[in-house]
Amino acid sequence: AQKVTQAQTEISVVEKEDVTLDCVYETRDTTYYLFWYKQPPSGELVFLIRRNSFDEQNEISGRYSWNFQKSTSSFNFTITASQVVDSAVYFCALSEAIKAAGNKLTFGGGTRVLVKP
Amino acid sequence: DAGITQSPRHKVTETGTPVTLRCHQTENHRYMYWYRQDPGHGLRLIHYSYGVKDTDKGEVSDGYSVSRSKTEDFLLTLESATSSQTSVYFCAISESRGERNSPLHFGNGTRLTVT
């Protein structure tokens, strides 16, 4: 069975500090897809990024960056120069095939990030 | 924003009563999902649907049933609610075109309290 582990349950930083969220996954698939979602205090789930297993290039989007390392089964997420608006719960997820060529996501337990002014 | 509406947004019910949560989409996506969110567990899949009248169980399906009679609607029913089903329930949709890389887009959630 697939599994996603986010060992950090909560991280507290002061504004402008960098924060890295760890995600470790387990899968027997040779091709797979990883995702990050953000859940701000308002409660909605926002899709941030998708990464496939055959592309190990790191990705940067503004203050967000992602480090995918297949050798260690990790897909870590860094927020650079954090801001109060980054306060949220962040989820890492792993895709798995379902019937009729669809997919479902297996989520980690989430990491709550609190950015203090 | 993905066109997903969950109703009701909040509900309080008593143990042993039946409860139905509704998810309505305007995107005409084939795949629909019900997840529950509990502290420390992230989101866990209850049931999903891959077409009208086509559904399957997820990892925490005990005590829940679903139905999908139209593409746009996916209902989650708790036949006899228990306190352990107190949770936030999220509906999600996906267009998935067979590559397993489709993100799920979520509704705003339903907070259910079973007293």
Side-chain angles (χ1 to χ4, degrees):
Chain A
Q2 306 204 128
K3 186 177 180 181
V4 177
T5 301
Q6 295 179 255
Q8 306 148 307
T9 55
E10 185 165 328
I11 300 174
S12 182
V13 298
V14 176
E15 208 169 18
K16 297 185 182 178
E17 288 184 341
D18 297 348
V19 55
T20 295
L21 311 181
D22 297 333
C23 173
V24 174
Y25 59 91
E26 297 176 26
T27 181
R28 293 183 177 179
D29 293 341
T30 54
T31 299
Y32 48 89
Y33 302 88
L34 294 156
F35 300 76
W36 277 95
Y37 282 79
K38 174 182 180 180
Q39 186 178 42
S42 51
E44 72 271 23
L45 285 150
V46 179
F47 164 61
L48 293 178
I49 191 171
R50 166 185 54 208
R51 169 50 51 91
N52 60 53
S53 58
F54 46 87
D55 181 2
E56 290 201 59
Q57 279 192 331
N58 290 332
E59 187 153 344
I60 298 174
S61 176
R63 296 184 296 104
Y64 294 172
S65 62
W66 289 269
N67 181 13
F68 173 51
Q69 300 225 339
K70 203 168 182 177
S71 59
T72 57
S73 297
S74 65
F75 185 39
N76 297 336
F77 173 30
T78 296
I79 303 172
T80 302
S82 61
Q83 300 176 2
V84 172
V85 293
D86 296 324
S87 295
V89 180
Y90 293 86
F91 293 98
C92 181
L94 175 63
S95 181
E96 182 177 353
I98 59 174
K99 292 180 180 179
N103 66 297
K104 63 179 180 180
L105 297 185
T106 298
F107 285 84
T111 298
R112 181 179 300 277
V113 174
L114 177 60
V115 181
K116 299 178 181 176
Chain B
D1 290 344
I4 309 169
T5 303
Q6 291 186 232
S7 59
R9 293 295 315 278
H10 302 271
K11 185 168 183 68
V12 179
T13 192
E14 293 184 350
T15 298
T17 59
V19 177
T20 295
L21 308 183
R22 179 179 183 245
C23 179
H24 178 78
Q25 62 147 329
T26 58
E27 306 295 321
N28 200 36
H29 284 349
R30 179 177 183 179
Y31 302 92
M32 298 186 75
Y33 312 77
W34 278 106
Y35 282 83
R36 61 177 288 175
Q37 182 179 10
D38 304 290
H41 292 280
L43 287 96
R44 293 178 292 174
L45 182 64
I46 305 171
H47 281 280
Y48 66 89
S49 170
Y50 50 99
V52 173
K53 297 186 180 179
D54 292 322
T55 64
D56 204 359
K57 296 179 179 180
E59 60 178 309
V60 290
S61 60
D62 287 349
Y64 302 95
S65 62
V66 290
S67 65
R68 192 170 178 198
S69 58
K70 298 185 290 184
T71 298
E72 58 266 34
D73 290 327
F74 192 32
L75 304 180
L76 176 70
T77 297
L78 292 65
E79 301 292 346
S80 177
T82 68
S83 58
S84 64
Q85 294 176 311
T86 292
S87 187
V88 180
Y89 292 85
F90 284 95
C91 174
I93 64 174
S94 168
E95 58 180 338
S96 187
R97 294 174 182 171
E99 298 176 346
R100 294 196 293 128
N101 62 351
S102 297
L104 274 58
H105 298 284
F106 288 83
N108 288 327
T110 294
R111 184 173 296 276
L112 176 67
T113 302
V114 183
T115 62

